[in-house]
Every structure is written in C-alpha cells, then in structure tokens.
Amino acid sequence: MSRVKLLRYLANLGYGSRREVLGLFADGHVADAAGETLYGDDVRAHDDIRIDGEALDPAPGLLLMLNKPTGYTCSTKDKGRLIYDLLPRRFRHRDPLVSPVGRLDRDTSGLLLMTDDGTLLHRIIAPKSKLPKIYRAHLASDLRGDEGAIFASGTLMLEGEQTLLLPAELEVLGPRDARLTLHEGRYHQVRRMFVAVGNHVEALHRERIGGLELGGLPEGEWRLLGDDERVRLFAQ
C-alpha cells in the first residue's frame, strides 16, 4: 500500500476525531513496527504503523463476510440492535463507511457482505452482474407443487411493480422448506414471491452470494475476505 500522512489516515480509520488522534500522537501511542514514535505529519505505509504495539485495523478497500443473526438491522442509525454492534466499534466511524452490500431485513439471517470500496459494492449489486443469491426459506403452509414452475417462468410480477422478475430456481427441501436462487435483488423479494403464490415466509436465511458460502462461520461472527475469495465471488 502507498505511504500516507498519519493524522488524517488514522482519523479516517475510525481511531477518533482529528483532535482525539492528535492526543494519541502526543501521548506516544503511535509508533512504527520498529518501535519508533510517530507523529501526525509523518508518512508511513499501513503495515508499518502500530498503536500501543498493535497492528492497525484493516486498510481501506476491505471486504468482509458477516453471518448476520436475526434481530439485527442493516443500518447505522435505527433503534435496536444494528449489524455494527457485531463489528469492531471503530468500523462504524470509518470514512468511507464500511457499508452492507445490499441488505438483509431484521428477520433474515445469513451471509452479508460489507465493504468500504464503493466501486466494488456497485459491481456486486449491479443488475448486470446477476450474481446468484441463494436463500433457504421455511414457510407457514405446505408448498402446492407449482411454485417452482411459476418462479422459473419469468412471467411473475410482484405487487406494486411494473417489471417482470427474472427466472428463479426453487429446490423443494420438505413440505414447508425450500431453497430459492435469485439473480437480482429487489426489496424483500423472497418474501414477496411467496406471498404472490399464497404463502408466507416464517424464517429466511441467505446461504450464498455468487461463489461465496458462509461455510463454518459462526452466527454473529465476521471475517475478512482475501483476494482469492474476491475472485470466487464473481465465479459463477
């Protein structure tokens, strides 16, 4: 990574306001990897900076995977529990913000990507990307048997909309359980699709986006994604 002036850089990483970060320098909390004290107008590379001997939080351009539990909102300001409560406190103060890539509603769990890279975010959510998103749904009533054909037809239109849905694939897992693969991301799409066929989603979990799956990531936990996983995300 390129070398940067430290005062603004640390403030943008969420370590405090400029005044607070100046205090870190004044009190000798900031040093390089060799232990030499650093100051706000010094220039260093990200990996050469330490605060109280600890490496910095991830550099700008991060991409992380969160296993979102139900009961958490994808917001910085809503009341109640927020996804940022599951991340290091500084992450909600970074500039640019570490933002969710698309959203999962409060009652939906599973794979949520987050990034501070606006270009990457828009590449993932852009309609032309058509990255598959796979959900597991538990329903209030038994499946009728014709839902798969309806969802795959490309002729279904949701209430209040004027464009047809792209074809989606339904895999029946049980009388009231199904796996649904979408290639677009409309508001509450899975729930509204089942309403359109006379059913109701009682529980919804996202298992996969593109080539990425949650794997063994525990609920409520997160991890950074490496370059190989970024490539896998877009491998369909």
Side-chain angles (χ1 to χ4, degrees):
M1 183 176 176
S2 62
R3 292 158 63 87
V4 293
K5 282 195 173 183
L6 299 188
L7 175 58
R8 180 177 178 182
Y9 188 68
L10 294 185
N12 286 349
L13 284 180
Y15 282 90
S17 65
R18 290 201 180 193
R19 181 184 297 273
E20 291 168 334
V21 173
L22 274 174
L24 292 177
F25 288 114
D27 293 337
H29 293 286
V30 187
D32 63 16
E36 178 185 350
T37 299
L38 298 176
Y39 300 93
D41 58 353
D42 283 342
V43 176
R44 289 290 190 280
H46 181 97
D47 291 342
D48 192 36
I49 306 167
R50 301 289 185 271
I51 296 183
D52 292 331
E54 298 291 331
L56 293 184
D57 290 341
L62 67 83
L63 177 66
L64 66 84
M65 172 191 294
L66 171 68
N67 187 351
K68 177 191 170 298
T70 58
Y72 286 81
T73 302
C74 294
S75 169
T76 58
K77 298 180 180 179
D78 286 1
K79 295 180 180 179
R81 294 181 294 179
L82 307 177
I83 55 173
Y84 292 95
D85 298 334
L86 303 169
L87 302 175
R89 184 176 181 82
R90 286 188 294 270
F91 277 30
R92 75 173 73 192
H93 302 296
R94 289 173 65 122
D95 182 15
L97 180 67
V98 179
S99 301
V101 181
R103 291 175 179 264
L104 293 178
D105 64 54
R106 180 184 293 270
D107 297 323
T108 300
S109 63
L111 199 165
L112 181 67
L113 297 177
M114 300 184 70
T115 184
D116 59 357
D117 184 335
T119 300
L120 177 61
L121 187 153
H122 290 295
R123 182 185 174 197
I124 295 170
I125 66 174
K128 66 180 181 181
S129 74
K130 297 183 181 178
L131 285 181
K133 303 172 188 70
I134 301 179
Y135 298 82
R136 181 166 180 154
H138 178 71
L139 306 168
S141 303
D142 288 356
L143 292 159
R144 300 183 314 214
D146 62 347
E147 294 90 350
I150 294 172
F151 293 164
S153 68
T155 62
L156 181 63
M157 186 180 298
L158 297 176
E159 183 176 357
E161 298 197 3
Q162 297 180 342
T163 56
L164 298 173
L165 293 178
L166 294 177
E169 297 85 53
L170 181 74
E171 177 187 358
V172 176
L173 303 175
R176 298 189 180 187
D177 292 283
R179 181 174 287 116
L180 186 62
T181 301
L182 306 182
H183 302 278
E184 57 189 328
R186 305 198 195 185
Y187 180 72
H188 288 177
Q189 183 173 344
V190 174
R191 298 181 187 277
R192 294 167 69 202
M193 288 173 69
F194 280 106
V195 167
V197 292
N199 213 326
H200 172 74
V201 173
E202 290 191 332
L204 188 62
H205 179 80
R206 183 156 67 192
E207 299 178 328
R208 177 177 167 182
I209 300 175
L212 294 180
E213 299 180 85
L214 279 171
L217 185 65
E219 185 176 69
E221 298 293 322
W222 66 278
R223 66 178 182 85
L224 290 175
L225 299 179
D227 291 342
D228 58 331
E229 291 172 307
R230 293 181 185 228
V231 172
R232 196 188 316 155
L233 170 63
F234 293 100
Q236 303 180 45

PDB file of all heavy atoms in Angstrom, residues 74-90:
ATOM      1  N   CYS A  74     -29.646  -3.634   9.210  1.00  0.00           N
ATOM      2  CA  CYS A  74     -28.546  -3.150   8.368  1.00  0.00           C
ATOM      3  C   CYS A  74     -28.610  -1.628   8.285  1.00  0.00           C
ATOM      4  O   CYS A  74     -29.031  -1.047   7.277  1.00  0.00           O
ATOM      5  CB  CYS A  74     -28.618  -3.762   6.980  1.00  0.00           C
ATOM      6  SG  CYS A  74     -28.352  -5.544   6.930  1.00  0.00           S
ATOM      7  N   SER A  75     -28.212  -0.968   9.352  1.00  0.00           N
ATOM      8  CA  SER A  75     -28.307   0.481   9.444  1.00  0.00           C
ATOM      9  C   SER A  75     -27.291   0.979  10.463  1.00  0.00           C
ATOM     10  O   SER A  75     -26.812   0.225  11.311  1.00  0.00           O
ATOM     11  CB  SER A  75     -29.723   0.887   9.867  1.00  0.00           C
ATOM     12  OG  SER A  75     -29.791   2.261  10.198  1.00  0.00           O
ATOM     13  N   THR A  76     -26.979   2.285  10.379  1.00  0.00           N
ATOM     14  CA  THR A  76     -26.124   2.907  11.388  1.00  0.00           C
ATOM     15  C   THR A  76     -26.932   3.677  12.416  1.00  0.00           C
ATOM     16  O   THR A  76     -26.402   4.044  13.469  1.00  0.00           O
ATOM     17  CB  THR A  76     -25.135   3.894  10.732  1.00  0.00           C
ATOM     18  OG1 THR A  76     -25.873   4.889  10.011  1.00  0.00           O
ATOM     19  CG2 THR A  76     -24.191   3.167   9.785  1.00  0.00           C
ATOM     20  N   LYS A  77     -28.224   3.923  12.147  1.00  0.00           N
ATOM     21  CA  LYS A  77     -28.977   4.863  12.979  1.00  0.00           C
ATOM     22  C   LYS A  77     -30.282   4.316  13.541  1.00  0.00           C
ATOM     23  O   LYS A  77     -30.869   4.934  14.429  1.00  0.00           O
ATOM     24  CB  LYS A  77     -29.280   6.132  12.173  1.00  0.00           C
ATOM     25  CG  LYS A  77     -28.039   6.890  11.721  1.00  0.00           C
ATOM     26  CD  LYS A  77     -28.407   8.133  10.929  1.00  0.00           C
ATOM     27  CE  LYS A  77     -27.163   8.893  10.476  1.00  0.00           C
ATOM     28  NZ  LYS A  77     -27.506  10.093   9.679  1.00  0.00           N
ATOM     29  N   ASP A  78     -30.803   3.215  13.022  1.00  0.00           N
ATOM     30  CA  ASP A  78     -32.088   2.714  13.513  1.00  0.00           C
ATOM     31  C   ASP A  78     -31.995   2.357  14.997  1.00  0.00           C
ATOM     32  O   ASP A  78     -30.925   2.077  15.527  1.00  0.00           O
ATOM     33  CB  ASP A  78     -32.515   1.470  12.717  1.00  0.00           C
ATOM     34  CG  ASP A  78     -33.007   1.825  11.327  1.00  0.00           C
ATOM     35  OD1 ASP A  78     -33.000   3.019  10.994  1.00  0.00           O
ATOM     36  OD2 ASP A  78     -33.372   0.905  10.582  1.00  0.00           O
ATOM     37  N   LYS A  79     -33.138   2.336  15.652  1.00  0.00           N
ATOM     38  CA  LYS A  79     -33.178   1.914  17.047  1.00  0.00           C
ATOM     39  C   LYS A  79     -32.992   0.399  17.130  1.00  0.00           C
ATOM     40  O   LYS A  79     -33.266  -0.332  16.196  1.00  0.00           O
ATOM     41  CB  LYS A  79     -34.513   2.319  17.680  1.00  0.00           C
ATOM     42  CG  LYS A  79     -34.716   3.827  17.771  1.00  0.00           C
ATOM     43  CD  LYS A  79     -36.050   4.154  18.415  1.00  0.00           C
ATOM     44  CE  LYS A  79     -36.249   5.666  18.508  1.00  0.00           C
ATOM     45  NZ  LYS A  79     -37.560   6.022  19.121  1.00  0.00           N
ATOM     46  N   GLY A  80     -32.574  -0.068  18.289  1.00  0.00           N
ATOM     47  CA  GLY A  80     -32.395  -1.503  18.487  1.00  0.00           C
ATOM     48  C   GLY A  80     -31.026  -1.964  18.047  1.00  0.00           C
ATOM     49  O   GLY A  80     -30.088  -1.187  17.882  1.00  0.00           O
ATOM     50  N   ARG A  81     -30.888  -3.266  17.869  1.00  0.00           N
ATOM     51  CA  ARG A  81     -29.596  -3.864  17.536  1.00  0.00           C
ATOM     52  C   ARG A  81     -29.249  -3.639  16.065  1.00  0.00           C
ATOM     53  O   ARG A  81     -30.099  -3.829  15.186  1.00  0.00           O
ATOM     54  CB  ARG A  81     -29.615  -5.349  17.860  1.00  0.00           C
ATOM     55  CG  ARG A  81     -29.734  -5.641  19.361  1.00  0.00           C
ATOM     56  CD  ARG A  81     -29.737  -7.124  19.648  1.00  0.00           C
ATOM     57  NE  ARG A  81     -30.922  -7.778  19.122  1.00  0.00           N
ATOM     58  CZ  ARG A  81     -31.159  -9.079  19.217  1.00  0.00           C
ATOM     59  NH1 ARG A  81     -30.266  -9.878  19.799  1.00  0.00           N
ATOM     60  NH2 ARG A  81     -32.273  -9.599  18.727  1.00  0.00           N
ATOM     61  N   LEU A  82     -28.003  -3.257  15.831  1.00  0.00           N
ATOM     62  CA  LEU A  82     -27.519  -2.975  14.483  1.00  0.00           C
ATOM     63  C   LEU A  82     -26.389  -3.937  14.130  1.00  0.00           C
ATOM     64  O   LEU A  82     -25.686  -4.446  15.009  1.00  0.00           O
ATOM     65  CB  LEU A  82     -27.002  -1.542  14.382  1.00  0.00           C
ATOM     66  CG  LEU A  82     -27.952  -0.435  14.850  1.00  0.00           C
ATOM     67  CD1 LEU A  82     -27.251   0.926  14.749  1.00  0.00           C
ATOM     68  CD2 LEU A  82     -29.241  -0.435  14.041  1.00  0.00           C
ATOM     69  N   ILE A  83     -26.188  -4.162  12.820  1.00  0.00           N
ATOM     70  CA  ILE A  83     -25.094  -5.034  12.398  1.00  0.00           C
ATOM     71  C   ILE A  83     -23.745  -4.510  12.875  1.00  0.00           C
ATOM     72  O   ILE A  83     -22.814  -5.287  13.112  1.00  0.00           O
ATOM     73  CB  ILE A  83     -25.082  -5.230  10.865  1.00  0.00           C
ATOM     74  CG1 ILE A  83     -25.043  -3.879  10.140  1.00  0.00           C
ATOM     75  CG2 ILE A  83     -26.265  -6.073  10.419  1.00  0.00           C
ATOM     76  CD1 ILE A  83     -24.857  -3.992   8.647  1.00  0.00           C
ATOM     77  N   TYR A  84     -23.633  -3.181  13.066  1.00  0.00           N
ATOM     78  CA  TYR A  84     -22.359  -2.605  13.517  1.00  0.00           C
ATOM     79  C   TYR A  84     -22.035  -2.991  14.952  1.00  0.00           C
ATOM     80  O   TYR A  84     -20.874  -2.900  15.370  1.00  0.00           O
ATOM     81  CB  TYR A  84     -22.382  -1.088  13.336  1.00  0.00           C
ATOM     82  CG  TYR A  84     -22.398  -0.690  11.875  1.00  0.00           C
ATOM     83  CD1 TYR A  84     -23.594  -0.412  11.229  1.00  0.00           C
ATOM     84  CD2 TYR A  84     -21.223  -0.653  11.130  1.00  0.00           C
ATOM     85  CE1 TYR A  84     -23.624  -0.083   9.882  1.00  0.00           C
ATOM     86  CE2 TYR A  84     -21.231  -0.327   9.787  1.00  0.00           C
ATOM     87  CZ  TYR A  84     -22.438  -0.050   9.163  1.00  0.00           C
ATOM     88  OH  TYR A  84     -22.454   0.255   7.825  1.00  0.00           O
ATOM     89  N   ASP A  85     -23.037  -3.439  15.705  1.00  0.00           N
ATOM     90  CA  ASP A  85     -22.776  -3.933  17.058  1.00  0.00           C
ATOM     91  C   ASP A  85     -21.969  -5.231  17.032  1.00  0.00           C
ATOM     92  O   ASP A  85     -21.402  -5.623  18.052  1.00  0.00           O
ATOM     93  CB  ASP A  85     -24.094  -4.176  17.806  1.00  0.00           C
ATOM     94  CG  ASP A  85     -24.916  -2.914  17.977  1.00  0.00           C
ATOM     95  OD1 ASP A  85     -24.317  -1.813  17.988  1.00  0.00           O
ATOM     96  OD2 ASP A  85     -26.157  -3.016  18.090  1.00  0.00           O
ATOM     97  N   LEU A  86     -21.934  -5.903  15.870  1.00  0.00           N
ATOM     98  CA  LEU A  86     -21.223  -7.173  15.724  1.00  0.00           C
ATOM     99  C   LEU A  86     -19.791  -6.991  15.216  1.00  0.00           C
ATOM    100  O   LEU A  86     -19.033  -7.956  15.133  1.00  0.00           O
ATOM    101  CB  LEU A  86     -21.984  -8.097  14.767  1.00  0.00           C
ATOM    102  CG  LEU A  86     -23.441  -8.402  15.161  1.00  0.00           C
ATOM    103  CD1 LEU A  86     -24.173  -9.085  14.011  1.00  0.00           C
ATOM    104  CD2 LEU A  86     -23.477  -9.270  16.408  1.00  0.00           C
ATOM    105  N   LEU A  87     -19.438  -5.744  14.872  1.00  0.00           N
ATOM    106  CA  LEU A  87     -18.124  -5.428  14.311  1.00  0.00           C
ATOM    107  C   LEU A  87     -17.312  -4.622  15.319  1.00  0.00           C
ATOM    108  O   LEU A  87     -17.863  -4.097  16.295  1.00  0.00           O
ATOM    109  CB  LEU A  87     -18.293  -4.611  13.024  1.00  0.00           C
ATOM    110  CG  LEU A  87     -19.116  -5.241  11.906  1.00  0.00           C
ATOM    111  CD1 LEU A  87     -19.275  -4.248  10.758  1.00  0.00           C
ATOM    112  CD2 LEU A  87     -18.483  -6.524  11.404  1.00  0.00           C
ATOM    113  N   PRO A  88     -15.999  -4.494  15.106  1.00  0.00           N
ATOM    114  CA  PRO A  88     -15.217  -3.598  15.957  1.00  0.00           C
ATOM    115  C   PRO A  88     -15.835  -2.202  15.977  1.00  0.00           C
ATOM    116  O   PRO A  88     -16.281  -1.699  14.939  1.00  0.00           O
ATOM    117  CB  PRO A  88     -13.833  -3.588  15.283  1.00  0.00           C
ATOM    118  CG  PRO A  88     -13.745  -4.915  14.608  1.00  0.00           C
ATOM    119  CD  PRO A  88     -15.148  -5.189  14.113  1.00  0.00           C
ATOM    120  N   ARG A  89     -15.856  -1.575  17.135  1.00  0.00           N
ATOM    121  CA  ARG A  89     -16.541  -0.294  17.309  1.00  0.00           C
ATOM    122  C   ARG A  89     -16.082   0.760  16.312  1.00  0.00           C
ATOM    123  O   ARG A  89     -16.877   1.569  15.824  1.00  0.00           O
ATOM    124  CB  ARG A  89     -16.329   0.188  18.745  1.00  0.00           C
ATOM    125  CG  ARG A  89     -17.082   1.475  19.069  1.00  0.00           C
ATOM    126  CD  ARG A  89     -16.907   1.845  20.537  1.00  0.00           C
ATOM    127  NE  ARG A  89     -17.628   3.064  20.875  1.00  0.00           N
ATOM    128  CZ  ARG A  89     -18.923   3.119  21.159  1.00  0.00           C
ATOM    129  NH1 ARG A  89     -19.640   2.010  21.157  1.00  0.00           N
ATOM    130  NH2 ARG A  89     -19.505   4.257  21.454  1.00  0.00           N
ATOM    131  N   ARG A  90     -14.778   0.754  15.990  1.00  0.00           N
ATOM    132  CA  ARG A  90     -14.257   1.789  15.092  1.00  0.00           C
ATOM    133  C   ARG A  90     -14.822   1.684  13.685  1.00  0.00           C
ATOM    134  O   ARG A  90     -14.815   2.669  12.934  1.00  0.00           O
ATOM    135  CB  ARG A  90     -12.728   1.710  15.041  1.00  0.00           C
ATOM    136  CG  ARG A  90     -12.038   2.227  16.294  1.00  0.00           C
ATOM    137  CD  ARG A  90     -10.537   2.291  16.094  1.00  0.00           C
ATOM    138  NE  ARG A  90      -9.952   0.977  15.937  1.00  0.00           N
ATOM    139  CZ  ARG A  90      -9.495   0.240  16.938  1.00  0.00           C
ATOM    140  NH1 ARG A  90      -9.566   0.683  18.182  1.00  0.00           N
ATOM    141  NH2 ARG A  90      -8.957  -0.941  16.710  1.00  0.00           N
TER     142      ARG A  90
END
